[in-house]
Amino acid sequence: MKIQKLSEDTRKNLLEDLLKRSPNSYGQYEASVAEILNTVKEKKDEALFAYTKKFDGADISVENILVTEAEIEEAYRLVDEDLLRVVRKALKNIEEYHAKQKQYSWFDSKPNGTMLGQKVTPLQRVGVYVPGGKAVYPSSVLMNIMPAKVAGVDEIIMTTPPGKDGKINPTTLVAAKEAGATAVYKVGGAQAIGALAYGTESIPKVDKIVGPGNIYVALAKKAVYGHVSIDSIAGPSEILVVADETANPRFVAADLLSQAEHDELASAILVTTSEELAQKVSEEVDKFTAELSRKEIIQKSLDNYGYILIADTMEEVIETANEIASEHLEIMTANPYDTMTKIRNAGAIFIGEYSSEPLGDYFAGPNHILPTNGTAKFFSPLSVDDFVKKSSIISYSREALEEVHKDIEQFAAAEQLTAHANSIKVRFE
Amino acid sequence: MKIQKLSEDTRKNLLEDLLKRSPNSYGQYEASVAEILNTVKEKKDEALFAYTKKFDGADISVENILVTEAEIEEAYRLVDEDLLRVVRKALKNIEEYHAKQKQYSWFDSKPNGTMLGQKVTPLQRVGVYVPGGKAVYPSSVLMNIMPAKVAGVDEIIMTTPPGKDGKINPTTLVAAKEAGATAVYKVGGAQAIGALAYGTESIPKVDKIVGPGNIYVALAKKAVYGHVSIDSIAGPSEILVVADETANPRFVAADLLSQAEHDELASAILVTTSEELAQKVSEEVDKFTAELSRKEIIQKSLDNYGYILIADTMEEVIETANEIASEHLEIMTANPYDTMTKIRNAGAIFIGEYSSEPLGDYFAGPNHILPTNGTAKFFSPLSVDDFVKKSSIISYSREALEEVHKDIEQFAAAEQLTAHANSIKVRFE
């Protein structure tokens, strides 16, 4: 891995490089995505079946688009029992963590008869998109579905592209069932997003669409935003390790590689005050890479978006970490909790040398669907919050309104909204 | 107002009519908005000054784009003292309500050395857009800024278009100052959104943009979503009154009109089980309208999107209200709290005959920036939540990781992510 001295220039270049990976810079696909969405909106199921034939090579019809109980039972027979045991252990942790995120309706009343509050209501129906292809990520299925289940969503609808044989990967199906999906439909790509956003004869319209996908899926989600809600648009994976001279270079190297292996756009960055650590991590990275099965992806990812940066002070390290706002941030310093208090922007923060990033991907409980590409400055991990919405509650008694009615009428008059003023006035004629 | 019997057909037609007002159906402006955004991204301040000259007829330069302390002092001299007093009273209520929305960082630890948590961090810098034009809505300034202030946002930057004289309306300025804006810039339209999203020499890039605006502003916000965060895109205002025979027809009529006066696309709907009430409300609406200053707007709004619907049962009334998911929902029934428990979708719920909608617009405390156009099914009122973001916290001890490391390795292996497995394995070599 390349080692660089941290300077204003390296930081600026690095940020520019990383932002190039933004899912917002793929305008050239927008037209085809818009066409797919419009066709699905208009022709509904017919369009879904045609696109699934075209893009996935599968024959899907109204007869088999919905996964049956028999297919789920078959999937259970095909999935390794030991993996199922691990999935269930992970799910327990995920459920326990998300349960703590639950927000409750509240109200506040005063003796003059005012009651103000906030009512929390689960969304009624949500769509979870799960990518197809060779890579199968059951962990992602769990992480998308469980927060919706904990929130109390009535219907959790999953869509995922079928293989050429019209089947869904059994591990994906079992994960969906275990996590609590209420229906699974065999459709993928922008057409699946269109179906969830507008509804078809087979697939009901949802209130919100979540889940990662390729560039077509990301652009389709962005296009239907407003018509339905969406989660934040996922970009390539990232890890940033903040370390001082106390860090174990083998651990740091292994953790950087765990993200670099995702894809060629993934980014792995170490920012440290220790030149010695930088050197050793670079060596360990080379050693590990040679042995890992995904070495080609890793090498490209490291060449493009892998950095080891040496800073003069821990303040500079922190400042850089906050500027980059990494999806995953690991802290391996002498006082990691102290360092954590200074971190402003990160999707998930892993504290200390035994909190390796994959622990969060699979097992610990917090969601692994995290803001990428600098969006941790304003977006949050996927959570129970994403599957509820709030209504304000306002209740005034006659007495309470009478106390303030002249003030409200005056405010309305200042905005020249006389019908607003009238609706208060009429109550005290 | 037209009175109709509620049926499947009337409900379907009504929903279709209302959705036509969606800010998502204005594709024809997208190209000009994209051009403005690109020009601002590239030419920064120069573009802002040119567009401000073109669209607002004002000469703005690097010298005067930022509102000065002297301008704010002048504004205070121009604003009615009595209005200022009301603004301060309203602000106190708004601050008090929003303070109750604050979420706190939390953690949960176990004796084996695991600590999981969620860190809540305010956004660093946000942009608040305030429309210009003849209508001046200081209440909207308060409602946009206060939640950001309560959340603890460092910099709250407001932009609003100047008049031809290069000045900002004094009431707007005073409201901004009172609510806690840290800077006010004289720029409006899609160009203001571009400046806030990308930054210019004068205006710093923000993390999130909130605030209502015309169709150009709405489309610009949607276009920059992902690059920065935005609040939900505001459509025309709406009120839906749920009432039985106990409701006061004058109150209902006055409240319907308070929304109809906003603009010609505003919607005012009464759904009731009482034919008598329907008839009386219709008469009162006519009487009031004749006297109100904005009668022309009101008449057009009522003709287009005003409905009185008579249902057979209160269940049908509720079902219709939930289907429409109105921005504002008033409940005037014999047992309004009981009715409220059945309301699933609404931006704000006003309970009982003294909780007139304008009470919420100006004074009670809950935010008046609410989801419109059916989006209350998945969006929430603007709140303190909009101005914070969360980071997951994961901390495992050696002991805790050792207990589960084999499970995690197995999960990673099942996803064929060997570098993920390696990062756990290396810790127990």
Side-chain angles (χ1 to χ4, degrees):
Chain A
M1 279 180 83
K2 45 186 170 291
I3 302 179
Q4 287 177 277
K5 187 88 189 73
L6 181 67
S7 69
E8 271 308 307
D9 273 357
T10 49
R11 188 150 79 184
K12 195 163 162 281
N13 291 339
L14 167 63
L15 280 168
E16 274 171 18
D17 269 6
L18 292 178
L19 284 176
K20 276 186 208 137
R21 305 170 312 144
S22 166
N24 294 306
S25 350
Y26 292 89
Q28 70 263 38
Y29 301 101
E30 270 172 22
S32 22
V33 166
E35 197 199 317
I36 294 173
L37 291 175
N38 285 333
T39 310
V40 170
K41 194 173 180 179
E42 199 187 311
K43 301 194 175 168
K44 300 177 194 284
D45 271 358
E46 187 192 334
L48 294 189
F49 304 148
Y51 284 124
T52 306
K53 183 75 190 165
K54 183 175 171 190
F55 296 128
D56 305 299
D59 287 306
I60 297 296
S61 72
V62 68
E63 305 296 325
N64 67 351
I65 189 168
L66 176 66
V67 170
T68 63
E69 278 304 314
E71 285 176 291
I72 292 172
E73 281 163 29
E74 189 196 356
Y76 270 90
R77 284 195 297 274
L78 294 169
V79 167
D80 179 56
E81 264 183 42
D82 219 37
L83 177 63
L84 180 56
R85 185 190 53 78
V86 177
V87 162
R88 286 179 174 160
K89 272 176 92 169
L91 260 179
K92 195 168 158 287
N93 288 346
I94 298 167
E95 185 163 19
E96 195 180 318
Y97 179 86
H98 286 81
K100 290 186 209 302
Q101 290 178 329
K102 268 195 101 155
Q103 292 182 54
Y104 297 90
S105 299
W106 57 262
F107 71 92
D108 184 54
S109 64
K110 292 191 177 152
N112 70 349
T114 64
M115 194 201 86
L116 301 175
Q118 188 171 272
K119 188 183 188 199
V120 180
T121 312
L123 304 191
Q124 193 154 10
R125 193 189 287 136
V126 302
V128 173
Y129 185 82
V130 174
K134 269 172 276 175
V136 178
Y137 298 124
S139 59
S140 176
V141 176
L142 309 183
M143 292 292 184
N144 271 293
I145 292 176
M146 187 48 84
K149 192 181 165 197
V150 171
V153 172
D154 293 338
E155 292 179 54
I156 304 169
I157 288 173
M158 189 174 113
T159 73
T160 189
K164 283 196 178 120
D165 57 358
K167 290 192 170 176
I168 305 292
N169 177 286
T171 311
T172 300
L173 269 191
V174 166
K177 182 73 183 173
E178 289 290 318
T182 53
V184 181
Y185 292 95
K186 297 170 189 167
V187 59
Q191 58 274 22
I193 303 304
L196 293 166
Y198 306 119
T200 72
E201 297 88 345
S202 298
I203 300 182
K205 178 188 185 310
V206 302
D207 298 315
K208 180 161 188 165
I209 303 171
V210 301
N214 62 19
I215 184 66
Y216 288 92
V217 170
L219 286 173
K221 280 168 65 183
K222 190 173 172 181
V224 299
Y225 175 70
H227 186 70
V228 297
S229 181
I230 61 168
D231 59 349
S232 49
I233 294 164
S237 195
E238 302 158 350
I239 188 169
L240 188 146
V241 180
V242 164
D244 61 17
E245 70 288 351
T246 65
N248 181 320
R250 274 179 75 76
F251 296 2
V252 174
D255 295 359
L256 291 173
L257 293 170
S258 75
Q259 293 313 291
E261 81 169 334
H262 269 298
D263 61 67
E264 293 164 14
L265 290 174
S267 165
I269 301 171
L270 164 65
V271 197
T272 180
T273 47
S274 165
E275 272 197 60
E276 197 190 332
L277 180 79
Q279 201 55 52
K280 282 188 187 160
V281 168
S282 178
E283 287 159 20
E284 293 292 344
V285 162
D286 291 344
K287 277 193 249 169
F288 279 131
T289 304
E291 296 158 20
L292 287 164
S293 61
R294 295 164 71 88
K295 60 172 80 68
E296 276 153 39
I297 293 171
I298 290 174
Q299 203 54 59
K300 282 191 186 145
S301 154
L302 292 181
D303 288 349
N304 290 325
Y305 303 109
Y307 295 85
I308 296 177
L309 301 172
I310 302 169
D312 288 330
T313 64
M314 194 41 77
E315 284 64 45
E316 274 182 77
V317 174
I318 302 280
E319 209 181 309
T320 305
N322 281 333
E323 192 63 40
I324 292 173
S326 187
E327 181 190 18
H328 305 100
L329 183 127
E330 288 189 358
I331 303 175
M332 297 202 224
T333 58
N335 296 302
Y337 277 89
D338 179 65
T339 309
M340 181 268 281
T341 63
K342 302 184 174 81
I343 295 297
R344 181 159 195 152
N345 303 321
I349 304 172
F350 297 78
I351 297 176
E353 61 178 1
Y354 285 93
S355 307
S356 154
E357 190 279 335
L359 163 67
D361 281 347
Y362 294 114
F363 206 80
N367 211 288
H368 80 195
I369 298 153
L370 300 167
T372 54
N373 221 257
T375 62
K377 288 182 180 174
F378 43 82
F379 288 148
S380 302
L382 192 72
S383 78
V384 172
D385 297 352
D386 283 289
F387 298 98
V388 300
K389 39 89 183 191
K390 293 158 186 173
S391 305
S392 307
I393 303 285
I394 299 173
S395 178
Y396 262 46
S397 63
R398 185 184 209 287
E399 179 197 345
L401 190 65
E402 193 160 25
E403 277 172 29
V404 296
H405 78 102
K406 291 236 159 70
D407 291 330
I408 304 175
E409 288 163 37
Q410 188 177 2
F411 210 145
E415 294 193 350
Q416 295 174 338
L417 294 174
T418 48
H420 280 63
N422 183 58
S423 97
I424 303 289
K425 213 180 293 173
V426 71
R427 283 158 163 95
F428 301 98
E429 282 169 342
Chain B
M1 278 180 84
K2 47 187 170 289
I3 301 180
Q4 287 177 276
K5 185 92 187 75
L6 181 66
S7 69
E8 271 308 309
D9 274 357
T10 51
R11 190 150 78 183
K12 193 161 162 284
N13 291 339
L14 168 62
L15 279 168
E16 274 171 17
D17 269 6
L18 291 179
L19 284 177
K20 276 186 206 136
R21 306 171 311 143
S22 166
N24 295 306
S25 354
Y26 292 89
Q28 70 264 39
Y29 300 100
E30 270 172 22
S32 23
V33 167
E35 196 198 318
I36 294 173
L37 290 176
N38 284 333
T39 311
V40 170
K41 194 174 181 177
E42 198 186 312
K43 300 195 174 168
K44 303 179 194 279
D45 270 0
E46 187 192 333
L48 294 189
F49 303 148
Y51 284 124
T52 305
K53 184 73 189 167
K54 182 175 171 189
F55 295 127
D56 306 298
D59 288 305
I60 296 297
S61 70
V62 68
E63 304 295 326
N64 67 351
I65 188 166
L66 175 67
V67 169
T68 62
E69 278 304 313
E71 286 175 291
I72 292 172
E73 281 165 27
E74 190 196 355
Y76 270 90
R77 283 193 298 272
L78 294 169
V79 167
D80 178 56
E81 263 182 43
D82 220 35
L83 177 63
L84 181 56
R85 185 190 53 78
V86 177
V87 162
R88 287 180 174 159
K89 271 176 95 168
L91 259 180
K92 196 169 157 289
N93 288 344
I94 299 168
E95 184 163 18
E96 195 180 319
Y97 179 85
H98 286 81
K100 290 187 210 301
Q101 293 178 326
K102 269 194 98 156
Q103 293 183 52
Y104 296 89
S105 300
W106 56 263
F107 70 92
D108 184 52
S109 63
K110 291 189 178 154
N112 70 349
T114 65
M115 193 201 88
L116 301 175
Q118 189 171 271
K119 188 183 188 198
V120 180
T121 311
L123 305 190
Q124 194 153 11
R125 192 188 288 136
V126 302
V128 173
Y129 186 82
V130 174
K134 269 172 274 174
V136 178
Y137 298 125
S139 59
S140 178
V141 176
L142 308 183
M143 292 292 185
N144 272 293
I145 292 176
M146 187 48 86
K149 192 182 165 194
V150 172
V153 172
D154 292 340
E155 292 179 54
I156 304 170
I157 288 172
M158 188 174 114
T159 73
T160 190
K164 281 196 179 121
D165 58 357
K167 288 193 174 177
I168 306 292
N169 178 286
T171 311
T172 301
L173 268 192
V174 167
K177 183 71 184 175
E178 290 289 319
T182 53
V184 180
Y185 293 94
K186 297 170 190 168
V187 60
Q191 58 275 20
I193 304 304
L196 292 167
Y198 306 118
T200 71
E201 298 87 345
S202 296
I203 299 182
K205 177 187 186 310
V206 302
D207 298 315
K208 180 161 188 166
I209 303 170
V210 301
N214 62 19
I215 184 64
Y216 289 91
V217 170
L219 286 173
K221 279 168 66 184
K222 189 173 171 181
V224 299
Y225 174 70
H227 186 70
V228 298
S229 181
I230 62 168
D231 60 348
S232 47
I233 293 164
S237 195
E238 302 158 351
I239 188 169
L240 187 146
V241 181
V242 164
D244 61 18
E245 70 289 350
T246 65
N248 181 321
R250 274 180 74 76
F251 295 2
V252 175
D255 294 0
L256 290 173
L257 293 170
S258 75
Q259 293 313 292
E261 81 169 333
H262 269 298
D263 60 67
E264 295 164 12
L265 291 173
S267 164
I269 300 172
L270 164 65
V271 197
T272 180
T273 45
S274 164
E275 271 196 62
E276 197 189 334
L277 182 77
Q279 202 54 54
K280 283 189 185 159
V281 169
S282 179
E283 288 160 19
E284 293 292 343
V285 162
D286 291 344
K287 278 193 248 169
F288 279 132
T289 305
E291 296 159 19
L292 287 164
S293 61
R294 296 165 71 88
K295 58 172 78 73
E296 278 153 37
I297 291 171
I298 289 174
Q299 203 54 60
K300 281 191 188 145
S301 155
L302 293 181
D303 289 348
N304 290 326
Y305 304 107
Y307 294 86
I308 296 177
L309 301 172
I310 303 169
D312 288 329
T313 63
M314 194 41 77
E315 284 64 44
E316 276 181 75
V317 173
I318 302 281
E319 209 181 311
T320 306
N322 281 333
E323 192 62 43
I324 292 173
S326 187
E327 182 190 17
H328 305 100
L329 184 127
E330 287 190 358
I331 303 175
M332 296 203 225
T333 59
N335 296 302
Y337 277 91
D338 179 64
T339 310
M340 180 268 280
T341 63
K342 301 184 175 78
I343 295 297
R344 180 159 195 150
N345 303 321
I349 304 172
F350 297 78
I351 296 176
E353 62 178 0
Y354 286 92
S355 306
S356 154
E357 190 279 335
L359 163 66
D361 280 348
Y362 293 115
F363 206 79
N367 211 289
H368 80 194
I369 297 154
L370 299 166
T372 55
N373 221 257
T375 62
K377 289 182 180 174
F378 42 83
F379 288 147
S380 302
L382 192 72
S383 77
V384 172
D385 298 352
D386 283 289
F387 298 98
V388 300
K389 39 92 185 189
K390 292 159 187 173
S391 305
S392 308
I393 302 287
I394 299 173
S395 179
Y396 263 47
S397 62
R398 186 184 207 285
E399 179 196 343
L401 189 64
E402 193 158 26
E403 278 172 26
V404 295
H405 78 101
K406 290 234 159 73
D407 292 329
I408 305 174
E409 287 163 36
Q410 188 178 1
F411 209 145
E415 294 193 351
Q416 295 173 340
L417 294 173
T418 48
H420 280 65
N422 183 58
S423 97
I424 302 289
K425 213 180 295 173
V426 70
R427 283 160 162 94
F428 300 98
E429 283 169 341

